[in-house]
């Protein structure tokens, strides 16, 4: 109704513990929707893993060739960029602004994340649905899901989860039956879409691991530089107290080797010599 009739967008969170099959469910939901309404779904294009990919997709010059109105997109692991513990970052702010302004494009976007609370609050209160994965049956290839509509109460600052109301005709009866849906059983996505997803996921994971490694190495260099600065400052204090008495300096800083202490002292002496300001004694009048 939101997308097909009311010309709005739909944001749905697919949640569940790591490895339970959130992404596979998201692919299956995209395929079901695509077949029901004859709207193309291409896993090469419509499965993304970063805000940049989403922006490039919806701002593309040949937008109609890639996605059209009412298209469905799966955003895998959005919490890596737009997480609630990094809410001040530029990416997080861009994420919040994007999902609050692109409703005119009438897109359905599923976000596969372990918990909705992992996303920034300003983003998650805009979500319309939540699909909690209860488990996957390997014998039947069926995923058990608990779907809920989301309604944000601004006064209390809480999100309410509501069951879907289903109307259907019973056999040989004219009256409509009304029931509330507790669980939904969803079949496994196609092999082709899963293969495409796994290939894209591997590239994303490899790139992420490299990025994390670079961050750790940079942090280590920063820490190493900080530690060296603190050591040098401490040796300078000891040098001013004891001069070149290596024994006393090493007693105060036993983790340093004599060679390191000597190197620090030579540096301190050189620095003092370089920046020494000559003082001319006053002339006798």
């Amino acid at each position: 109704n939101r997308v097909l009739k009311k010309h709005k967008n739909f944001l749905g969170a697919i949640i569940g513990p790591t490895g339970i099959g959130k992404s596979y469910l998201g692919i299956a939901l995209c395929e079901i929707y695509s077949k029901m309404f004859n709207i193309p779904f291409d896993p090469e294009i419509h499965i993304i893993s970063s805000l940049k990919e989403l922006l490039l997709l919806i701002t593309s010059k040949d937008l109609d060739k890639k996605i059209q109105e009412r298209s469905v997109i799966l955003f895998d692991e959005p919490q890596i960029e737009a997480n609630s513990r990094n809410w001040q970052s530029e990416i997080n702010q861009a994420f919040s602004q994007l999902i609050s302004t692109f409703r005119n494009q009438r897109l359905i976007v599923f976000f596969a994340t372990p918990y909705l609370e992992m996303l920034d609050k300003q983003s998650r209160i805009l979500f319309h649905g939540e699909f909690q994965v209860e488990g996957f049956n390997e014998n039947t290839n069926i995923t058990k899901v608990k779907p809920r509509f989301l309604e944000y109460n601004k006064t209390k600052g809480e999100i309410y989860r509501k069951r879907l109301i289903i109307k259907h005709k019973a056999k040989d009866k004219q009256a409509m039956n009304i029931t509330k849906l507790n669980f939904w059983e969803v079949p496994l996505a196609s092999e082709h879409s899963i293969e495409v997803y796994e290939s894209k996921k591997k590239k994303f994971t490899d790139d992420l691991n490299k990025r994390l490694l670079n961050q750790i190495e940079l942090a280590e260099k920063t820490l190493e530089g900080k530690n060296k600065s603190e050591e040098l400052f401490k040796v300078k204090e000891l040098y001013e107290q004891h001069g070149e008495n290596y024994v006393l300096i090493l007693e105060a800083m036993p983790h340093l080797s004599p060679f390191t202490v000597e190197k620090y002292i030579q540096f301190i002496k050189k620095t003092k010599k370089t920046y020494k300001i000559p003082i001319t004694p006053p002339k006798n009048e």
Side-chain angles (χ1 to χ4, degrees), residues 141-157:
N141 284 338
I142 295 291
T143 302
K144 187 178 180 181
V145 189
K146 184 163 73 175
R148 295 292 183 266
F149 277 127
L150 299 180
E151 184 178 298
Y152 179 66
N153 186 315
K154 186 177 179 180
T155 305
K156 295 185 177 181

Side-chain angles (χ1 to χ4, degrees), residues 1-4 6-14 29-30 33 54 70-75 99 102-111 123 126-131 147-151 162 164 184:
N1 282 336
R2 282 188 59 85
V3 176
L4 302 178
K6 296 182 180 180
H7 304 281
K8 297 180 180 180
N9 64 352
F10 179 85
L11 308 177
I14 301 174
L29 297 184
C30 292
Y33 173 82
L54 180 58
R70 303 174 297 164
S71 288
V72 60
I73 296 170
L74 174 62
F75 194 149
I99 66 174
F102 79 143
R103 67 176 180 271
N104 62 304
Q105 291 179 288
R106 301 175 65 188
L107 298 176
I108 294 176
V109 185
F110 293 118
F111 299 82
S123 300
L126 300 174
F127 277 60
H128 311 108
E130 179 183 88
F131 301 81
R148 295 292 183 266
F149 277 127
L150 299 180
E151 184 178 298
K162 299 183 176 181
L164 283 73
W184 181 22

Side-chain angles (χ1 to χ4, degrees), residues 238-249:
L238 293 168
Y239 172 75
E240 290 174 350
Q241 292 175 22
H242 309 298
E244 294 187 46
N245 191 329
Y246 283 48
V247 176
L248 293 177
I249 294 175

